[in-house]
Amino acid sequence: MTGKSDLWEALAGEHAAALRDLGVQVRYAPGDVILREHEPSTHAILLQEGTAKVVVSAETGHEVILGLREGPDIVGEMAALDGRPRSASVIAKTDVTTTIVTAAQLNEFLDAHPEVLRTLVRILTARLRQSDQARLEMASQTVLQRIASQLATLAEQLDTSPESPDLGSPALPLTQGELAAMVGASREAVTKALHLLRRQGVVTTSRSRIAIIDLPVLRLLAAGNTP
């Protein structure tokens, strides 16, 4: 998730164009629900432009954010393939332009392009491993480590941070509350950690934005080291 998914990379060029040509373009405003958790599955979404968040509802009713996705990318492909209800919601963070592709169209496309299907299988395996790693980190890392790790990952995925300090670095479209939901921490703990990171010149924050200023230091903190 350039930081885009491996599946989208496999769809580069004529494959991506061919799949887009099968669907219908739809635009979403910030806050619009693109895909809704637990609903029946009839299509996948090709994110053309914009950023969306992937969220699930915990048993407590709280929202857990699994990650951010930025176009070009694809979401909802698994539910479209197995026919089961959506396992997560996808909500627009910015203005988002998409192409909707039906499950039948996606399956026919994968049948015709087995190399893309093989890439999808590799992605599923990688996601399972990442999920196991995330559970381990949640249990063993401090809040600061989890925040540093999450911000570094998002910066790399969404291509929003340089390798060296740069005050002109683009910002992540992320609120402190959303960051708390991503790392499994309280809003107060996240506020405290971000205050420390700001004081060290690693990040800057503004309304609904977090800019990564020093990615190398963020990686050191994620590993539990002191810069």
Side-chain angles (χ1 to χ4, degrees):
M1 265 186 331
T2 72
K4 306 299 179 266
S5 71
D6 290 339
L7 180 58
W8 187 263
E9 295 294 345
L11 290 171
E14 62 182 26
H15 282 165
L19 188 55
R20 279 197 300 267
D21 288 344
L22 295 175
V24 177
Q25 189 175 95
V26 177
R27 291 183 172 85
Y28 296 89
D32 286 350
V33 177
I34 300 173
L35 298 173
R36 193 179 299 276
E37 186 179 6
H38 303 313
E39 284 192 346
S41 317
T42 59
H43 60 276
I45 298 285
L46 306 183
L47 295 177
Q48 303 300 332
E49 296 178 346
T51 303
K53 62 179 179 179
V54 181
V55 304
V56 295
S57 299
E59 292 182 359
T60 59
H62 291 92
E63 179 184 88
V64 177
I65 301 178
L66 301 182
L68 298 180
R69 305 290 284 273
E70 182 180 63
D73 207 336
I74 183 169
V75 295
E77 71 277 8
M78 292 317 304
L81 290 174
D82 65 19
R84 301 181 65 183
R86 303 285 180 194
S87 60
S89 297
V90 179
I91 302 172
K93 284 282 297 172
T94 65
D95 289 324
V96 175
T97 301
T98 72
T99 299
I100 297 179
V101 179
T102 68
Q105 290 170 329
L106 180 60
N107 277 284
E108 290 174 5
F109 180 87
L110 293 173
D111 286 342
H113 301 89
E115 69 277 18
V116 178
L117 180 58
R118 286 193 294 270
T119 298
L120 180 56
V121 172
R122 289 197 298 272
I123 291 170
L124 290 177
T125 302
R127 286 179 182 173
L128 286 173
R129 290 174 176 167
Q130 290 170 357
S131 178
D132 290 341
Q133 181 64 30
R135 284 195 293 271
L136 175 61
E137 291 177 353
M138 196 74 74
S140 62
Q141 289 186 334
T142 66
V143 172
L144 180 60
Q145 281 181 282
R146 299 203 301 268
I147 289 173
S149 178
Q150 186 66 72
L151 291 178
T153 297
L154 290 173
E156 292 160 356
Q157 287 181 341
L158 303 185
D159 196 21
T160 60
S161 179
E163 289 294 321
S164 58
D166 178 5
L167 293 178
S169 175
L172 295 166
L174 193 67
T175 68
Q176 294 185 23
E178 288 171 334
L179 181 57
M182 296 182 86
V183 302
S186 68
R187 176 71 177 269
E188 292 75 16
V190 169
T191 298
K192 182 178 179 180
L194 287 175
H195 176 72
L196 176 62
L197 293 175
R198 285 196 304 269
R199 194 171 62 197
Q200 294 180 341
V202 180
V203 305
T204 62
T205 61
S206 57
R207 183 176 178 83
S208 302
R209 314 289 285 184
I210 301 174
I212 311 303
I213 303 303
D214 199 330
L215 185 57
V217 169
L218 207 57
R219 290 188 182 124
L220 284 174
L221 292 171
N225 299 319
T226 301

